[in-house]
Amino acid sequence: MPLSTRRPRDLEWQVFRGSLARQSGLLTADQLRGAAWRRIRYDVYADARLELDHELACRAAWLTLPPDSVIAGLSAAFLDGVQHAAEFGHDVHVIRPVKASPYRQQGVRFHATDLSDTETLAVGGMVRTTPLRTAWDVAQWLDAVAAVGVIDAMLRTRLIERRQLAESVRMGRRRGCRRATQVFELSDGGAQSRPESTLRVRFVLAGLPRPVTQHPVQLPTGRVVHPDIAWPAYRVGVEYDGEWHAEDDQFHLDRKRLNQLVGAGWTVLHVTSRRLSRDFPGILREVCDALRERGWRP
C-alpha cells in the first residue's frame, strides 16, 4: 500500500522537525515517509510541494542552528532576491560571534564575526544580515568577479545604493576595507545579468579602460539603443548572447537593433555563454583589436 499523503493543516507549506511533529501527534513515522513530505536533512522535513531552492535550504538549516546564528553572505543575498547567488545544494552561510562555542553542521559554512544590532534583521522567522552588511561579507568571502556579480544585482534591484557602499568603506575601520573598496569600485548596477557583470569585471582586471553598462546610443532614426557593455569614446560595444537570446523573436529583434547600431558607426562584438566560459582570452584579443582600431592606446 502507498504511504499516506495526509497533510495536517499546521504543517502545510512548512519546514519542520520530524521529531516534534511525531511528539505532537501530527504525524507518525510512517506518514513522514509518505509522498507528502521531503526529508531535507537529519530530522528536518518539508512539504514536498515547496521548491527546492536555497531558501528551503536556509529554512531547513535554521531549525537546528544555535540561537546566536545569522544567515549571511550568499545565503542572505539569495533571501534578498538575488536568485543566482546560491542553489539548493550549496552551503548555507552563517555568522556566529567570535567567542561562540564551536559548532558544526553539515551543509552549513560558519563564519566567526561580531555583528552590531544595526547589521541584522529578522524576516520570515529567520535572522539575516542587512543588505549592506551582506554586500560587505560577499566582497570579503568571494573572488572579485563573483562578488561583483552579486553586488551588481543588489545595486540593480536597489537593495543597496552606491553611496552606502562608499560610506561603509569610508566609515569602517575594520579589517577588509581595502578588499571592499576594490570590489565596490568595480560594481555597477547597470549590468542586466551575472554574465554581463563577469565580462565587464574581467575586461577591467585585464587592463582595458572601464566600460559603461547600458550606454544610451541615439540612432539616426531617433531610436535609442543600449549595448550591454560599451566604450562610448571609441564607439565599441559588446553584447552578451545568453540563452534567452536564442528565442526566435528576441533573436531577430536583437540582431536588427545591433545592425542599426553598426550602421551608426559602432563596432559591436558578440559573446556567447560558451565562449565566455571557454575562450575569454580570445574574446579579450578581439575587444583589444577593436579598441585599438578606434584609437585606444594601452
Side-chain angles (χ1 to χ4, degrees), residues 7-35:
R7 288 188 178 94
R9 180 170 298 180
D10 289 347
L11 298 180
E12 286 192 290
W13 304 105
Q14 300 301 310
V15 182
F16 57 91
R17 299 290 296 269
S19 56
L20 295 179
R22 294 196 305 270
Q23 290 170 16
S24 61
L26 291 173
L27 293 172
T28 66
D30 283 344
Q31 288 171 332
L32 269 176
R33 291 192 292 270

Side-chain angles (χ1 to χ4, degrees), residues 210-251:
R210 179 163 182 157
V212 179
T213 58
Q214 302 298 315
H215 176 70
V217 180
Q218 186 166 14
L219 302 174
T221 60
R223 182 185 179 189
V224 177
V225 297
H226 301 79
D228 294 333
I229 298 173
W231 290 268
Y234 305 102
R235 291 198 169 195
V236 172
V238 172
E239 282 284 307
Y240 175 74
D241 293 334
E243 293 180 1
W244 67 278
H245 286 271
E247 298 176 10
D248 288 343
D249 291 344
Q250 187 63 50
F251 179 83

Side-chain angles (χ1 to χ4, degrees), residues 26-231:
L26 291 173
L27 293 172
T28 66
D30 283 344
Q31 288 171 332
L32 269 176
R33 291 192 292 270
W37 314 109
R38 178 180 281 117
R39 184 180 182 274
I40 306 300
R41 55 175 58 235
Y42 177 74
D43 194 38
V44 177
Y45 295 79
D47 190 320
R49 296 170 295 181
L50 290 170
E51 183 178 356
L52 282 175
D53 59 13
H54 196 66
E55 179 183 359
L56 182 59
C58 290
R59 292 173 63 185
W62 184 258
L63 291 180
T64 57
L65 288 173
D68 56 9
S69 300
V70 178
I71 304 292
L74 293 175
S75 299
F78 184 92
L79 294 176
D80 279 328
V82 182
Q83 296 296 304
H84 64 71
E87 298 177 5
F88 173 73
H90 293 170
D91 285 349
V92 176
H93 287 261
V94 171
I95 283 178
R96 295 189 67 216
V98 172
K99 295 184 179 180
S101 301
Y103 185 85
R104 292 183 179 180
Q105 185 177 137
Q106 185 176 3
V108 178
R109 186 174 303 183
F110 290 99
H111 306 267
T113 304
D114 291 324
L115 298 171
S116 69
D117 292 340
T118 61
E119 293 178 307
T120 65
L121 51 87
V123 180
M126 295 183 289
V127 179
R128 66 177 185 254
T129 51
T130 62
L132 185 58
R133 175 68 206 208
T134 297
W136 181 278
D137 291 329
V138 165
Q140 306 302 318
W141 300 343
L142 276 63
D143 67 79
V145 175
V148 169
V150 174
I151 296 171
D152 276 2
M154 297 178 75
L155 286 167
R156 183 174 67 250
T157 55
R158 299 184 179 179
L159 287 166
I160 50 176
E161 298 178 5
R162 290 197 64 84
R163 62 171 183 81
Q164 292 178 298
L165 297 178
E167 288 172 3
S168 69
V169 172
R170 187 168 58 251
M171 300 292 290
R173 296 182 179 179
R174 57 193 165 193
R175 185 177 181 182
C177 280
R178 180 177 298 181
R179 172 75 176 177
T181 298
Q182 178 199 26
V183 172
F184 292 166
E185 287 181 349
L186 286 169
S187 300
D188 186 327
Q192 298 298 299
S193 68
R194 177 172 53 177
E196 290 176 27
S197 297
T198 298
L199 267 174
R200 187 189 76 252
V201 175
R202 293 187 72 177
F203 285 149
V204 174
L205 294 179
L208 296 188
R210 179 163 182 157
V212 179
T213 58
Q214 302 298 315
H215 176 70
V217 180
Q218 186 166 14
L219 302 174
T221 60
R223 182 185 179 189
V224 177
V225 297
H226 301 79
D228 294 333
I229 298 173
W231 290 268

